[in-house]
Amino acid sequence: MTTFKLTKGIFLAVCFALLSPYLKSQSLKNDRIGVFDLGYTLNKDLSKIEDVKTAWDDVHAVSTLQGIVNRKSPKLYVYMIKNGSADIDRYWWNKYRQKDKWLSNRDTVVYQDIVGLINAYRSDIKGVVVYDPNVAATSNVASSVAGQEDVIAVRYDTGKNSLYTRLVLQGPKLPVRVWLVNKNGSSLFTGSGNIPGTKRLSTGSVKNDAYLWFLEKYTKAGKTNTKYGAYYVDQQWMKNPRGAGPNHHTLTNHDFFVSKKGFFFDLSPWGDEPATDDLTQKTGTDLNTLKELLLTAYQYNKGKDYAYLGGFPPWAFKYTKHAGGSHEDVPTEWEYSAVISAYNAFKDADAIGFGALANASFWQHYPLKKKYEQKWVTEADLKQRGYLTPDGKVDFKGRNFFVFYVGDYDASSWVSQTTPTLWDSPERGKVPLMWCISPVLQERVPMAMEYRRESATKNDYFAAADNGAGYLMPGMLQEPRPISALPDGLDAWVAHNKPYYDKWDLSITGFIIDGQAPGLNQKGLDAYAKFSPNGIVPQKTPLTSLHGNMPVLRADDDINEDDPTVVVKHILERVGKRPVPFHWFRNILKDPGWYVKVVEELKRTDPKVELLDAPTFFELYRIYLKQNPDAANGKIN
């Protein structure tokens, strides 16, 4: 028998181990959350330059502060985003402040002014990074530096009431840790000689020199988290603040990427014309810089980890015909997608319209469950419901079947903003809908992802949005990759997607945007079969095919008309032209009540065209393909 001697050290260690969970919960309970209302910036008169400065400067500083403060735990929350009458940030806050919810036991402190707010978190930051009002790109570089150095971004402005004056020259007199402008206010980046502080020759563009300065000083020095990047409009927004909604400077989107120590950029994807915001640059300079940023990220990620890029081409402000360029909006979206895909990067597509998102650095700490399960249909179910004959054949009874791709939910901002306005509709659940949401959005809006699952009806089924766990063009992952000349990226894409599909129990990729890229080849289809075995809907394939056991159906039309009568006419026109009895249609931001009206009108007009739930649709389609060799082998077009 061994005698155990309880020393003082062992006793204390045992006590600490037993008390640790309690202490942790008490710490979380008593750790107060700071709350700050940025709504005043939305009410500024954007025809007045001083109001524009406030709307930009205050939000930029607070968002970079949030990213630093919320990096390890949720400490600071802001109110900012509104969608019509829906107050988005209060909606999510109130939902999780309810009894027994995540934030129910947290105390709060409300801050009334920005200087007081920053003073309250003074110990969390090391000072400020000051950027140049005359070199627009330095605002994004400042956000990149903020994450690396734990400093908040402040625009140089010695005006009496400027934020720079209130924080640096007066008030708390925060130390300037990094200058992106000379101390006398003249520009650090001049577009000549060497890029400041480096041995690298200037590109001739102050815009591009600023981004390459950060690349040389931080990213290539191994300081940047190259798994996260952010594509948001720079301070040129201040010249056209009414080009989109008042929150579409998208500065509130910065916090998450600051918390991740990622990199920011705003560059044209076009190589056939100078960037519309930098007309004197050599054609293709922006594109070359973008490629170098992405290639460096690829190299540091060793080709295995995909770079998560928040944001979207700021088409209302730059790079399109809206800003004097030669390209339309969607081709610009697709060109950017093609470029990033070639370097193993995808986007969380915060596109204009619903592109603003706040508090992602806060919500990233929301505790998700290990798995969210969904039920697939069985052959017995299909027979009982009259879709299969007793011998297992599809029992059409003269019917055509279709499914709606309910989108677009490939962006955290769109999912967050549309939950109270669309998802919470009392009409949801009356007809079967395939909600296509990118599972990678769990990174920035996990609370919205879980809420939708927990409040889903039996008629709500979830599939992945374009093009899986992130929006890219998978054809650009296939060798040869002419834009980048990099090795095949498909295996890494499979490895990236599988954990997300497993967690959310996804088996359908509701839409694959091929866009400017080649269609999926044999290896590309093999890749999707490994994580999306119950179906994919690409743009560049035969109309029908069966790849192994994975059903493949080519995408058809977008159906977005408001009038149900017009919608039904459109559906029936397409059904009449397609030589197979299975059909897919894409919808963008439609209210569930719209679908109810469409189905009612369709039943009146042609009851032989039937909307199905996603599992029933894809399982019947797979059975049909197995029983029709020409359809399975891609011989029907």
Side-chain angles (χ1 to χ4, degrees):
M1 181 176 180
T2 302
T3 302
F4 178 73
K5 185 177 181 180
L6 187 64
T7 65
K8 182 179 180 182
I10 293 175
F11 175 77
L12 291 174
V14 171
C15 289
F16 180 79
L18 292 172
L19 289 171
S20 181
Y22 172 77
L23 293 172
K24 185 176 181 180
S25 66
Q26 287 298 103
S27 174
L28 185 64
K29 178 178 178 179
N30 296 322
D31 188 11
R32 295 190 302 176
I33 297 171
V35 178
F36 186 65
D37 190 348
L38 279 166
Y40 66 91
T41 66
L42 298 176
N43 299 322
K44 293 295 179 180
D45 183 349
L46 297 182
S47 66
K48 298 178 179 178
I49 185 58
E50 291 305 314
D51 279 6
V52 171
K53 289 178 179 179
T54 298
W56 176 273
D57 291 347
D58 287 20
V59 181
H60 197 189
V62 171
S63 296
T64 49
L65 175 68
Q66 250 199 319
I68 298 162
V69 167
N70 289 337
R71 180 173 289 142
K72 294 181 180 180
S73 62
K75 294 181 179 179
L76 176 58
Y77 196 86
V78 302
Y79 299 134
M80 174 70 179
I81 310 304
K82 294 184 179 180
N83 179 356
S85 62
D87 192 322
I88 303 302
D89 299 311
R90 283 183 171 84
Y91 169 88
W92 289 113
W93 175 263
N94 292 337
K95 188 175 293 294
Y96 288 98
R97 287 287 281 175
Q98 295 174 20
K99 184 179 179 181
D100 298 327
K101 293 294 186 180
W102 185 47
L103 302 173
S104 60
N105 291 325
R106 298 290 296 274
D107 292 332
T108 60
V109 55
V110 176
Y111 296 98
Q112 301 295 339
D113 70 277
I114 189 169
V115 175
L117 170 69
I118 292 170
N119 265 326
Y121 291 96
R122 179 66 185 84
S123 61
D124 291 274
I125 60 174
K126 297 176 182 177
V128 302
V129 50
V130 177
Y131 60 93
D132 187 350
N134 297 312
V135 179
T138 59
S139 65
N140 266 337
V141 175
S143 286
S144 299
V145 171
Q148 321 290 299
E149 301 281 2
D150 289 349
V151 291
I152 62 174
V154 179
R155 186 180 57 87
Y156 184 89
D157 182 350
T158 57
K160 180 181 179 181
N161 297 316
S162 74
L163 193 62
Y164 175 79
T165 296
R166 295 163 64 200
L167 291 178
V168 178
L169 301 182
Q170 299 174 9
K173 293 187 177 181
L174 298 175
V176 180
R177 296 296 185 184
V178 180
W179 289 91
L180 299 178
V181 59
N182 290 320
K183 294 181 181 180
N184 65 1
S186 62
S187 291
L188 177 66
F189 300 100
T190 63
S192 61
N194 283 351
I195 295 173
T198 77
K199 297 180 179 180
R200 182 165 180 163
L201 283 175
S202 168
T203 63
S205 160
V206 295
K207 171 186 181 181
N208 285 271
D209 285 359
Y211 288 118
L212 293 173
W213 173 88
F214 178 82
L215 184 73
E216 296 293 333
K217 301 286 282 188
Y218 287 91
T219 308
K220 289 185 177 180
K223 298 178 181 179
T224 307
N225 182 356
T226 51
K227 295 178 185 178
Y228 292 92
Y231 185 16
Y232 296 110
V233 67
D234 62 27
Q235 64 185 308
Q236 184 172 313
W237 174 88
M238 298 172 73
K239 296 180 179 180
N240 182 24
R242 290 179 287 187
N247 58 20
H248 267 75
H249 45 57
T250 52
L251 287 167
T252 49
N253 302 52
H254 287 217
D255 68 313
F256 175 83
F257 299 97
V258 170
S259 80
K260 294 295 187 183
K261 301 186 178 183
F263 58 100
F264 289 75
F265 58 94
D266 173 3
L267 295 159
S268 172
W270 293 110
D272 60 355
E273 63 183 5
T276 61
D277 61 340
D278 192 20
L279 294 175
T280 62
Q281 71 170 230
K282 182 180 178 181
T283 298
T285 302
D286 264 31
L287 177 59
N288 290 336
T289 298
L290 176 58
K291 287 181 176 180
E292 187 172 354
L293 297 181
L294 295 170
L295 177 60
T296 304
Y298 175 92
Q299 291 167 340
Y300 274 89
N301 296 339
K302 300 180 180 179
K304 294 182 179 180
D305 292 313
Y306 270 72
Y308 182 132
L309 306 179
F312 200 81
W315 54 262
F317 304 99
K318 300 182 180 186
Y319 315 136
T320 66
K321 288 184 176 180
H322 295 277
S326 62
H327 298 284
E328 298 286 355
D329 304 343
V330 173
T332 302
E333 168 193 343
W334 285 1
E335 188 72 12
Y336 171 65
S337 299
V339 172
I340 66 173
S341 303
Y343 293 92
N344 288 22
F346 63 85
K347 59 185 167 187
D348 179 344
D350 296 333
I352 288 172
F354 300 94
L357 177 73
N359 299 303
S361 64
F362 184 94
W363 291 111
Q364 68 177 318
H365 300 290
Y366 182 81
L368 288 170
K369 297 175 184 175
K370 186 176 181 180
K371 189 176 179 67
Y372 297 84
E373 295 183 348
Q374 299 193 99
K375 184 181 179 182
W376 194 254
V377 70
T378 66
E379 184 174 329
D381 293 332
L382 295 175
K383 287 180 178 178
Q384 182 181 9
R385 292 162 58 201
Y387 292 114
L388 289 181
T389 61
D391 59 353
K393 294 181 179 180
V394 181
D395 194 0
F396 288 106
K397 295 186 178 73
R399 293 173 291 183
N400 273 268
F401 300 126
F402 75 100
V403 67
F404 276 134
Y405 174 91
V406 180
D408 272 351
Y409 299 108
D410 54 7
S412 294
S413 59
W414 286 42
V415 166
S416 176
Q417 287 202 41
T418 62
T419 300
T421 60
L422 296 179
W423 176 262
D424 284 349
S425 167
E427 299 295 293
R428 181 174 54 81
K430 293 183 178 180
V431 297
L433 296 178
M434 180 175 72
W435 295 88
C436 295
I437 303 174
S438 172
V440 81
L441 307 187
Q442 72 173 58
E443 303 298 330
R444 289 202 289 163
V445 289
M447 74 297 181
M449 298 285 284
E450 180 173 272
Y451 169 65
R452 289 197 180 209
R453 282 301 181 96
E454 291 186 339
S455 58
T457 72
K458 64 179 181 180
N459 269 332
D460 298 313
Y461 192 85
F462 296 90
D466 54 290
N467 286 322
Y471 176 2
L472 51 61
M473 291 180 173
M476 298 304 293
L477 308 180
Q478 304 167 167
E479 291 185 292
R481 303 172 83 179
I483 292 177
S484 64
L486 291 172
D488 186 285
L490 287 168
D491 290 342
W493 184 236
V494 172
H496 166 76
N497 276 273
K498 279 189 68 65
Y500 289 105
Y501 275 63
D502 289 345
K503 184 179 188 70
W504 297 97
D505 201 9
L506 301 173
S507 60
I508 301 167
T509 304
F511 187 26
I512 292 177
I513 299 177
D514 294 313
Q516 316 281 40
L520 291 169
N521 61 21
Q522 182 75 18
K523 188 172 181 182
L525 290 168
D526 287 345
Y528 271 87
K530 292 175 182 176
F531 60 85
S532 187
N534 284 330
I536 62 173
V537 185
Q539 293 178 309
K540 296 181 179 179
T541 57
L543 178 59
T544 65
S545 60
L546 186 65
H547 187 78
N549 197 44
M550 179 180 69
V552 181
L553 180 66
R554 189 175 67 218
D556 201 72
D557 278 11
D558 288 357
I559 304 284
N560 287 309
E561 300 89 347
D562 291 331
D563 185 341
T565 303
V566 177
V567 171
V568 168
K569 182 179 179 181
H570 190 169
I571 291 173
L572 295 179
E573 177 185 329
R574 294 304 303 155
V575 168
K577 291 180 179 179
R578 288 166 60 93
V580 293
F582 291 89
H583 313 273
W584 171 101
F585 301 111
R586 173 175 172 243
N587 325 107
I588 302 172
L589 300 182
K590 290 299 186 184
D591 187 279
W594 177 88
Y595 293 97
V596 173
K597 292 176 183 177
V598 168
V599 170
E600 290 173 349
E601 180 64 24
L602 193 55
K603 286 180 179 178
R604 284 194 294 269
T605 307
D606 188 348
K608 292 292 187 180
V609 178
E610 184 176 345
L611 174 66
L612 297 180
D613 62 89
T616 299
F617 179 88
F618 281 94
E619 192 60 41
L620 286 177
Y621 178 52
R622 174 163 37 216
I623 294 169
Y624 163 82
L625 292 172
K626 289 180 177 180
Q627 295 169 355
N628 292 270
D630 283 350
N633 293 324
K635 294 181 180 180
I636 298 178
N637 279 288

